[in-house]
Amino acid sequence: MDERIHEHAEVLVDWSARVEAGDDVVLSVAEGAHDLTVAVAEKLGERGANPLVTYDSDEVSRAYLTAYDGEFGTGEHELAMIENADVYLRLGGGRNTSALADVSGEVRQAYATASAELREARMKTDWVSTVHPTRSLAQQAGMAYEEYRDFAYDAILRDWESLADEMAEMKNVLDSGSEVRIEKEKTDLTMSIEGRTAVNSAASVAYDSHNLPSGEVFTAPHATEGEVLFDVPMTVNGKRLRDVSLTFEGGEVVDFSAGVNEDELETILDTDDGARRLGELGIGMNRGIDRFTDNILFDEKMGDTIHLALGRAYDACLPEGEEGNGSAVHVDLITDMSEGRMEVDGEVVQRNGVFDWEEGFEG
Amino acid sequence: MDERIHEHAEVLVDWSARVEAGDDVVLSVAEGAHDLTVAVAEKLGERGANPLVTYDSDEVSRAYLTAYDGEFGTGEHELAMIENADVYLRLGGGRNTSALADVSGEVRQAYATASAELREARMKTDWVSTVHPTRSLAQQAGMAYEEYRDFAYDAILRDWESLADEMAEMKNVLDSGSEVRIEKEKTDLTMSIEGRTAVNSAASVAYDSHNLPSGEVFTAPHATEGEVLFDVPMTVNGKRLRDVSLTFEGGEVVDFSAGVNEDELETILDTDDGARRLGELGIGMNRGIDRFTDNILFDEKMGDTIHLALGRAYDACLPEGEEGNGSAVHVDLITDMSEGRMEVDGEVVQRNGVFDWEEGFEG
């Protein structure tokens, strides 16, 4: 087995999930994640934890969802399992990213609604999502398998402690700032971050961060004004979105366009009131990610990028007791900042992909 | 997908487990059972049940067991899952029947002991064990893959209702009888079945039967006397046993021998007091099984065979309140009855593999 699989397992168990002896751990594994599952099971054995492995197969889900006729229920056995778990690790990496392509949107939506209680329970555990690099994900990225594995492990096997220190600088800037401005071609956007708290997303539950890889600092903006072009293509709900442009007035999208699949963008914006407002401003700072691979887990963390999400805001960014933007959706859209700049309260913090604390930054 | 996989799923869900709308179902699937899992998920969708799929991988277990150092615990998440399940379906069929070969006996034993509570909880559900025919099982049987699939589906896709009717005759004979005698080459064994109740094991929870395939009638004998030769080879704890011979006096083994691995036989007999007494007499009646494949799930159900188990007796065979033979082991040993006879209270019930209610029986 590739030694990096063992290193991945160690980062996941020790740095990300902070597993301790006696922890009850759910390992939810996709069809292609067998080797990582074996490596994680070994680590959990060494740590003295109790693993239970569930098989999260898209093909099995498709068979179930397409055969079901009626109202979906919640399995009490699944709820009880999650409620009694300390840690929930999702090991993605299937064999076909289109395996659910012929399940209708209504059926998916109905199942997602019926599963809300399970989702809420998972969020109460120390949960972490990661992926095992599979041929299917390599194909999605347009890359050879070996090439993709190198890419994925460069992103995952970082010096997380040192990246966390660097990201702490960005968190300080955002926590003490009031207004963010983003300027680049076809983009001039301002938003308020007054009173909001940024998350230093360092791929560990100890940092309120639940993705591996991570490497972004995010907060919950409001009162957005201006226009923004998202020039990084994204696949959302199986549809490719490209060159999405949004115009905001009073915090709300008042005009939009997309290079392809504009109707899918319209469907998202029409989901509910919150879908027309921003729930997240995220600044990608993982320089191990050096290209777009059409996988949000990696793309949004890439250095030299900023992403904004339409829809639901994260509680961790909001003052105690304050409700953030609420919505059934949370759709991330990414803009390339390698030519552009971000200002906080009039001070340039990032110019052409370089931060003001880095060498090469032109003040 | 082979149409027989869908038929297997239907027999499992409808005939064996009697799944109903709203049932919470655990599907515990081995590494090679993906296709059967998809087919079962479809059936569970049609029936309106709630499936939760667990990944029962020997390679994952090996990694965990060999890395663990200390006393095994019980996962509260796993226990809660099982206690909240109505149905527990085990879909066997791995990729290597020797995947656990280098896990020491002590570690396995320690884990099995720590898992007793989980096992007890599973027994309280409507549980069924079956296997998906894999290349690994074909290899264990010494058969080509296609050949093995034909074999497995011949055993599984029976007319179970009609076999249940035939087995009811055998159950009547045993329930009303007092003494069983088995005679063949190097075999003359008598045992009492007075006051015991036979199980018509028709591959359905409705018959107290939890294997698919099944097709045997079994009871709990006692007061065994005489000698018996088990001429069907068996793999027990990874060791091949061949030509096991046992001599009983007063219900207990007083002499034994084996053609190979006699020390393994001795280890079994020395486990505890109950390991030297019989816990089961089973009569194989599944004529879809026409050869030995070194897999107890199939071998013990084969027509023209009788098996006896050293160790634990099943409660279902005992009068209310009576304790049967107790032991940590239950090791089935099989004898070929195609040349031999079985008598109940002096009446010949089976001769050279033919039952007295069948055509060709010589009275």
Side-chain angles (χ1 to χ4, degrees), chain B residues 81-117:
Chain B
M81 174 189 78
I82 300 170
E83 287 178 343
N84 282 277
D86 301 298
V87 175
Y88 193 104
L89 304 179
R90 187 185 288 274
L91 313 189
R95 297 189 292 198
N96 174 5
T97 57
S98 300
L100 291 160
D102 64 350
V103 180
S104 76
E106 296 78 55
V107 169
R108 286 187 215 207
Q109 187 54 47
Y111 185 72
T113 303
S115 306
E117 209 177 347

Side-chain angles (χ1 to χ4, degrees), chain A residues 24-25 31 34 38 41-42 45 48-55 57 59-60 63-64 67-68 75-77 80-81 84 95, chain B residues 24-26 31 34 38 41-42 45 48-55 57 59-60 63-64 67-68 75-77 80-81 84 95:
Chain A
D24 290 330
V25 180
E31 286 168 22
H34 176 81
V38 169
E42 187 180 314
N50 306 315
L52 169 59
V53 186
T54 67
Y55 186 54
S57 153
E59 287 186 3
V60 171
Y64 177 70
Y68 205 97
E76 289 302 320
H77 55 345
M81 173 188 79
N84 282 277
R95 296 189 293 198
Chain B
D24 291 330
V25 180
V26 173
E31 287 168 21
H34 176 82
V38 169
E42 187 180 315
N50 305 315
L52 169 59
V53 186
T54 66
Y55 185 55
S57 155
E59 287 186 2
V60 171
Y64 177 71
Y68 205 97
E76 288 302 320
H77 55 343
M81 174 189 78
N84 282 277
R95 297 189 292 198

Side-chain angles (χ1 to χ4, degrees), chain B residues 245-359:
Chain B
S245 183
L246 301 176
T247 304
F248 288 86
E249 277 178 30
E252 201 172 285
V253 173
V254 292
D255 197 16
F256 63 89
S257 68
V260 286
N261 284 316
E262 193 172 284
D263 53 338
E264 179 63 27
L265 177 62
E266 188 167 7
T267 302
I268 294 164
L269 290 165
D270 287 347
T271 308
D272 48 34
D273 285 351
R276 290 191 165 247
R277 297 173 178 276
L278 291 185
E280 182 188 354
L281 157 69
I283 294 133
M285 294 181 66
N286 185 335
R287 291 242 162 79
I289 301 171
D290 60 356
R291 67 180 91 184
F292 301 109
T293 56
D294 198 12
N295 182 341
I296 188 65
L297 183 68
F298 292 85
D299 290 354
E300 67 173 8
K301 316 306 189 320
M302 181 171 159
D304 301 7
T305 69
I306 285 179
H307 57 279
L308 299 166
L310 292 166
R312 187 172 51 79
Y314 290 107
D315 289 345
C317 302
L318 302 162
E320 190 73 29
E322 186 173 325
E323 288 264 318
N325 192 38
S327 173
V329 299
H330 180 95
V331 175
D332 293 288
L333 297 164
I334 305 173
T335 190
D336 186 343
M337 294 298 288
S338 53
E339 287 178 26
R341 63 185 184 167
M342 179 180 81
E343 295 173 7
V344 176
D345 297 340
E347 294 287 317
V348 180
V349 175
Q350 184 187 31
R351 189 196 308 270
N352 299 339
V354 185
F355 295 107
D356 66 353
W357 58 80
E358 289 183 306
E359 217 165 314

Side-chain angles (χ1 to χ4, degrees), chain A residues 173-179 191-198 219-222 315-320 322 345:
Chain A
V173 169
L174 294 178
D175 284 352
S176 56
S178 303
E179 188 188 78
M191 61 203 99
S192 170
I193 53 169
E194 183 75 44
R196 303 295 167 93
T197 305
T219 188
H222 55 109
D315 289 346
C317 302
L318 301 163
E320 190 72 30
E322 185 173 326
D345 297 341

Side-chain angles (χ1 to χ4, degrees), chain A residues 236-237 239-241 261-269:
Chain A
V236 178
N237 300 329
K239 299 271 173 61
R240 190 86 165 170
L241 293 182
N261 284 316
E262 194 172 284
D263 54 337
E264 179 64 26
L265 177 62
E266 188 167 7
T267 302
I268 294 164
L269 290 165

